[in-house]
Structure formats: C-alpha cells, structure tokens
Amino acid sequence: MSVNSVREDEVMHDVPKTATLLRLYRYLFAYKKMLAAVALLLLVTLFITLATPLMIELAIDTYVANSDAAGLCRLAAVGLLLFLVHMVCTRCWMRMMADVTNKVLLTIRSQLYEHIQTLSFHFFDSRPTGKILARVIGDVNSLKDVLSDSVTKLLPDLLTVAGVACIMLVKSWRLALAALLTLPFLVAGMFLIQISAHKLWQIHRKKNSNLNAFIHESFSGIRIVQSFAAEPERQQDFERCAMEYRDSFIDAVRIGDTFGALVEITWGVGGFLLYFIGIRIIGADEIGIGTFLAFSTYLGMFWSPIRNLSSFYNKIVTNISAAERIFDILDTPAEITSLPGSTALPPVKGEVRFEHVSFAYPDEPDKPVLENISFTVQPGETIALVGPTGAGKTTIVSLISRFYDVTDGRICIDGFDTRHVTLESLRRQMGVMTQDTFLFTGTVRENICYGKSDATEEEMIIAAKAVNAHDFIMKMEHGYDTVISERSSQLSIGQRQLLAFARTMLSDPRILILDEATSSIDTHTELLVQSGIAAMLQNRTSFIIAHRLSTIRGASRIFYVDGKQILESGSHEELMAKKGAYYRLYQSQFECI
C-alpha cells in the first residue's frame, strides 16, 4: 500500500479553475436574500461615489463660475448628507458580508469533516494526519477573503469600472479612449502572469501541507524523539521543510506582486495619454477646466478599482489552490458506505460465515492478502487467530467490521451479507479492542460511556468492575470525573487498556474483536484483567489475535493464518496433537521462556 510521506508533495487531479470557482460560489448563493441586501447597499454607495465628481464639476463650472454662494452651500449640504448615507451603508454591508462569509466557511468545514469521517481506513493509512489537518483548517481559512471580496469588491469594482467608462465616453469619447488605451495590454499581461502564479501557489500549498504533517508527526512521536535523543536530526528535517515552505512562498509572491506593478505602469501610461492627447491633440480650449478635473477624478476612479480587481484576481490565483485541495477531499469517494437499499441489521446472535473470501488493498489489487477463505463461527464461539506478522490476521477481523470490503466472496452475520446492511447497525453490534488504545480528552466517565452515552451510573460502574478498573479509578483524585488527556500521561499503559476494556464492556457488543489487546499489559495487570476478558467473552462471538499463545489456550478454535490462507484449525489440544505449524510456533515460544 503506497503512502504519501511528510516529505512528498501530494498528487492532485487538475481541475479547471472556473469549475472550482463556480462550485465555491454555490455556497454563497445559499444566502441569496442577504447577498441581495448587500448588493443593494453596494449600489447605493456606488451611486454616491460616481456622483461625487459630477458634483465637483457642477460646483466649479456653475456655482463658482457664477459666484453663487447659496447654491454652493446647498450642494455642500447635499454632499454631506450623501457622505453620511455612504458611511452607514458601508458599515451595514460589511457586517452582513462578514456574517455570510463565516457561515459559508463553517458549512464547508463541517462538510469536509463529515465527509472525512466516512472515508475508509485506506484513506488515513495512505497519508499523514497533518496533511488532512492542513486541509480542514488552513485551506478552509484561506477562502475567507476570496468569498468576502467576491461580493464586496468584485461586484462594486466591476460596476464602478463600467459606470465610469460609460460616463467618460458620454462626456468625451476621445479623452475616454486615450485614457483606456492601455487596458488591453493590462488584460493580456495579467493572463500570462496568472499561469505561472497558480502553479507556484499550488506548490506552496503542498509545502505547507508537508510542514504541517511533519510537525504533527514529530509532536505525536515526541517520546520516541526524546528517547533516542534525535532532536538535532528532527530539527534539521524541520528546517528543511520550513525552508521549502518559505522558498515556495517567496517564489509565488514574487510572481504575484507583478500584478500590482503592471497595473501601476498601465495606469501611469493611461494618465499620460489622457493629458497628452487632451492638451496637444484635442486642444485645451475645447475642454473646460471642470471637465478636465472631472476626467482626472474619473481616471483615478477607473484605475483604482482596476487595481482592486487585479488584487482580487491575484487573491483568487493565490487561494484557488486551497479550494482545489478541499474539493479534492470532498470528491474522494467513500469506499465503504451503506449501499442503496441496505437494511438495518437486527440484533444478532453472532454467527459469522466467510464464503470464499479474498482481499487485496485497492491500490495493490495484484497483491492479495487473503485468498479463498471459508469458515463458519457459531454464536458464542471464541476464535483465536495466530500466525506470523503480516499473515492477514488483522485483515480478517477488519473485514468482519467492514472496515474494508472483500475483493471476492462474501461475509455473512446471522445470514445477512455485511455489504447489504447499514454500517451503523453493523458496527453498533461490534466491539473492537486493539493494542493501540486511544482515549479522548475528557473525564474517565466520558471515555467509558463513549460508545453508550445514555448509560446509567450503575451500568458504568458494573462495566468498570467487570474488567477490574473500578478500584484504580476510585483512587484517582476525582474518581470517574478525573480529566485525562489524549496521551493520558497520568495513566499507565495497563490502566489505559483497562479503561478501553470498560468502554467496550459497557457497549455490550454481540461480536467482540480483541486485536493484540493485552500485548502492552504487564503480567501482573494481565492477571487482573483476565477475569474481565472472560466476562466479556461470555455469551459473545469473539475473535482474539494474540502473540502470547498462553492467553488463547481456552479458545473454542484456533486458526493458524499464513500464506493468505487458514492453514490449520482446531482446539489447542487438537493442533498440538497434529504437530504442525501451530505446534512449532507454540514450542518456539515455550523454549524462549
């Protein structure tokens, strides 16, 4: 199974930028009423902005030229009123747009998190957790300005450019053409720049993802790093990732900043052409001073939103890669889902049947892990799976819980094909314990009741007592209300596993899977928990994977798994009498002791 490491850039499918933008904007369109209100307020502010130069022209060419002080005062009063209206409208649309943007980001992040939870183990096995976090947090956050500016800047700036251009053409088409002569060169230059800029920002996002993955991996494994005094080596690796992140950012920004420079150059040339053509070619006598002043103002009003639009375009080029990475995850199909027409699995007795089951990982279909396996387990039986590492023992129990789908054959529980029942109804009746005990940040009570949030106090305590966890819990500072962290540093490995046993016990599964669940428990703790395990196994169909063969001697049957097959099957006594693979494995452990 191929794995994308913290040092490898992620591979993504190329998607047209327009398709990504339209998909992103669909989230905005869910708030049509608020967007309509924002648009209305923007139109009011735009009207006031466009009217200002005309009022200046009117003041100079009419009231000042005719020494009409009263008219000038009336015009000033109107201007003050319009300024106040502009200020109030601006504050309103800014607040409304911030609300819409934050709601959209919450929706995208929720959808992303919800979808990731549906993805199979293969998705998580094939990439570092830090790279997933980078998309859920950093990439979503980077969309905020794009979403907000799409309404608050793109719309008014486009309308401003169109409005100013129309006014200029009406007042003097020759001056307007002189001022706008450089616009085609700007458009062509921006198009060429964005091609390189987009690729560089994609690289930067990947380097950012690598850095996030490296940091997450380093701190998750800090005990190992410190145990091997490997801090200097990790520091060197960190600096290399940080340097790649920095260099990719500088490369992208260096290209992105040329947008602004290009606008400034074309703006300057356009201003020069306006005055040169207006004075030297058309003639200053044909154009009034007020008109010239109005044109100068409109020229600034034209190129200022052009500069804003180029900045927004640069922002899109910068952050469109984040949207691509988000949609790449959302478009990743959930390999394991409840199929259409699936029915809820009723309460089961616990019969498990494998019918000619074969399995290979999706990205390595030519390398089967299991081939043509068939067996039937009766309700209440305890099956032990033994064999060399990598033989497929964990794969077998993972297929029962449908964490993976079989490649060929089928698995039935009480006669129901596991692929044709809902995932929730299937997994609700499963209890899975692994050697990698995970506890959530919260109280002891919350961790034990995780699989059954409506459990009573009495049920929780009975479950804890059944696995001999109650006594050590009561010795903790706050008993069941003691807060533990994800790492549970205040608990020993054995205590963490006892809490996990209590959690499984409380959920009352019909089928129990113990995958090396006692491998990290010392001998003394194992003796304490054996009675708890015996209680869990009672009246349940159970599958136990264990390297300590002494712990599975009482199993109903033992499967020796190797070479993609179940090579031997029988009780401990039957397999020892055969003197086959299980016998040799047992003898080798006994000799080591």
Side-chain angles (χ1 to χ4, degrees):
M1 182 169 58
S2 61
V3 177
N4 176 251
S5 72
V6 298
R7 296 175 178 82
E8 292 180 87
D9 292 343
E10 297 165 286
V11 177
M12 293 176 52
H13 302 293
D14 289 331
V15 179
K17 291 188 285 295
T18 52
T20 302
L21 275 176
L22 290 175
R23 184 173 178 180
L24 182 61
Y25 287 153
R26 279 199 288 270
Y27 287 94
L28 279 175
F29 297 154
Y31 302 92
K32 294 184 180 69
K33 292 182 179 179
M34 293 186 70
L35 291 179
V38 170
L40 180 61
L41 293 172
L42 285 170
L43 287 174
V44 173
T45 58
L46 177 61
F47 171 79
I48 295 173
T49 302
L50 293 177
T52 301
L54 296 176
M55 293 175 68
I56 295 174
E57 181 183 16
L58 178 63
I60 294 174
D61 288 349
T62 302
Y63 296 121
V64 174
N66 297 321
S67 301
D68 187 354
L72 190 61
C73 289
R74 288 193 299 271
L75 187 63
V78 173
L80 178 61
L81 178 62
L82 291 177
F83 170 77
L84 293 175
V85 173
H86 186 282
M87 183 178 66
V88 172
C89 290
T90 300
R91 287 183 176 274
C92 289
W93 69 249
M94 288 180 66
R95 286 178 178 272
M96 294 174 67
M97 200 60 222
D99 186 36
V100 170
T101 300
N102 287 322
K103 286 180 178 178
V104 169
L105 292 183
L106 179 60
T107 300
I108 294 175
R109 185 173 280 116
S110 296
Q111 287 184 357
L112 191 58
Y113 181 81
E114 181 181 7
H115 181 69
I116 290 174
Q117 286 192 107
T118 69
L119 298 180
S120 67
F121 284 178
H122 176 259
F123 173 83
F124 297 95
D125 293 342
S126 62
R127 69 201 70 208
T129 303
K131 293 193 176 186
I132 302 174
L133 293 176
R135 301 201 190 195
V136 177
I137 300 173
D139 289 340
V140 173
N141 287 341
S142 66
L143 299 179
K144 183 175 183 179
D145 290 341
V146 172
L147 291 169
S148 178
D149 291 354
S150 294
V151 177
T152 61
K153 291 186 178 179
L154 178 61
L155 179 62
D157 285 339
L158 284 175
L159 292 175
T160 299
V161 168
V164 170
C166 290
I167 293 173
M168 292 171 68
L169 287 169
V170 169
K171 294 192 73 64
S172 175
W173 66 269
R174 290 178 294 180
L175 283 181
L177 292 180
L180 306 181
L181 196 59
T182 56
L183 192 57
F185 298 97
L186 173 65
V187 174
M190 290 177 63
F191 176 77
L192 295 175
I193 292 172
Q194 67 87 22
I195 296 176
S196 299
H198 178 60
K199 293 179 180 178
L200 292 173
W201 281 114
Q202 282 183 322
I203 294 172
H204 173 67
R205 292 286 175 191
K206 293 176 182 178
K207 299 303 181 184
N208 176 59
S209 183
N210 291 348
L211 182 60
N212 273 276
F214 178 84
I215 293 172
H216 180 273
E217 182 181 83
S218 295
F219 292 155
S220 297
I222 192 63
R223 295 178 186 272
I224 303 300
V225 173
Q226 293 183 355
S227 296
F228 284 89
E231 293 90 341
E233 289 83 357
R234 297 302 287 183
Q235 181 67 29
Q236 290 179 0
D237 290 340
F238 171 78
E239 290 176 357
R240 180 186 57 77
C241 287
M243 288 283 285
E244 290 180 353
Y245 171 81
R246 185 202 66 177
D247 292 344
S248 65
F249 180 76
I250 291 174
D251 291 341
V253 169
R254 184 180 289 119
I255 296 296
D257 283 350
T258 57
F259 280 106
L262 183 61
V263 172
E264 296 295 335
I265 293 172
T266 50
W267 186 349
V269 174
F272 169 78
L273 291 175
L274 170 67
Y275 291 106
F276 179 80
I277 294 175
I279 296 173
R280 297 295 300 273
I281 298 179
I282 300 176
D285 295 337
E286 294 187 24
I287 304 173
I289 296 176
T291 301
F292 240 121
L293 287 175
F295 248 91
S296 299
T297 304
Y298 277 124
L299 184 64
M301 291 177 62
F302 180 84
W303 282 103
S304 182
I306 288 291
R307 181 171 56 189
N308 293 338
L309 288 172
S310 71
S311 176
F312 173 72
Y313 187 60
N314 187 23
K315 196 170 293 182
I316 287 180
V317 172
T318 301
N319 296 305
I320 192 70
S321 56
E324 290 170 346
R325 288 162 54 80
I326 291 169
F327 295 142
D328 179 65
I329 291 285
L330 288 174
D331 291 339
T332 300
E335 298 173 358
I336 309 299
T337 60
S338 297
L339 299 178
S342 296
T343 58
L345 181 66
V348 300
K349 296 179 180 179
E351 181 195 70
V352 177
R353 187 168 70 250
F354 274 52
E355 298 179 358
H356 307 289
V357 169
S358 297
F359 174 75
Y361 288 104
D363 55 354
E364 296 179 328
D366 298 329
K367 297 180 180 179
V369 179
L370 302 172
E371 287 185 336
N372 197 31
I373 290 180
S374 297
F375 62 80
T376 300
V377 178
Q378 297 302 323
E381 270 196 290
T382 298
I383 304 298
L385 302 171
V386 301
T389 301
K393 304 183 295 296
T394 298
T395 301
I396 290 176
V397 295
S398 295
L399 291 173
I400 296 173
S401 299
R402 207 181 163 217
F403 291 133
Y404 301 96
D405 267 338
V406 299
T407 305
D408 290 305
R410 69 173 188 159
I411 299 173
C412 295
I413 295 179
D414 282 13
F416 292 89
D417 190 327
T418 56
R419 289 171 297 185
H420 297 148
V421 298
T422 61
L423 279 178
E424 182 181 6
S425 65
L426 172 66
R427 292 175 182 171
R428 283 289 183 186
Q429 304 193 58
M430 300 279 177
V432 182
M433 282 283 302
T434 67
Q435 60 181 328
D436 184 19
T437 302
F438 188 89
L439 299 177
F440 294 91
T441 298
T443 64
V444 171
R445 180 190 310 277
E446 290 168 343
N447 272 278
I448 294 178
C449 297
Y450 183 77
K452 189 179 180 182
S453 57
D454 59 346
T456 65
E457 183 84 3
E458 183 181 5
E459 289 174 331
M460 177 190 66
I461 293 175
I462 290 173
K465 286 182 175 179
V467 296
N468 293 315
H470 179 73
D471 291 342
F472 89 80
I473 293 174
M474 295 307 297
K475 292 178 182 178
M476 300 175 73
E477 184 178 1
H478 300 292
Y480 285 90
D481 293 315
T482 301
V483 177
I484 57 178
S485 64
E486 175 187 332
R487 295 181 180 274
S488 313
S489 57
Q490 68 267 52
L491 300 175
S492 68
I493 294 177
Q495 289 174 329
R496 292 203 299 270
Q497 289 198 309
L498 288 175
L499 290 182
F501 276 127
R503 179 171 60 194
T504 302
M505 189 73 175
L506 183 61
S507 66
D508 191 26
R510 302 311 307 152
I511 298 175
L512 182 65
I513 295 172
L514 303 179
D515 187 355
E516 297 289 350
T518 62
S519 62
S520 300
I521 298 179
D522 57 79
T523 304
H524 173 69
T525 306
E526 185 175 356
L527 292 175
L528 289 177
V529 82
Q530 281 302 327
S531 59
I533 293 177
M536 286 196 295
L537 297 179
Q538 191 173 3
N539 298 322
R540 290 184 176 89
T541 303
S542 305
F543 294 84
I544 304 175
I545 298 175
H547 283 300
R548 295 182 192 173
L549 300 186
S550 59
T551 64
I552 49 97
R553 291 181 60 173
S556 306
R557 280 185 289 166
I558 299 172
F559 292 169
Y560 186 92
V561 183
D562 194 14
K564 309 170 189 176
Q565 301 283 335
I566 297 177
L567 297 184
E568 295 181 352
S569 173
S571 67
H572 171 74
E573 292 75 14
E574 291 171 344
L575 295 182
M576 290 297 290
K578 287 183 179 180
K579 295 189 175 181
Y582 176 80
Y583 173 83
R584 291 190 294 273
L585 179 63
Y586 188 86
Q587 289 296 106
S588 64
Q589 284 198 10
F590 181 78
E591 290 172 0
C592 291
I593 298 175

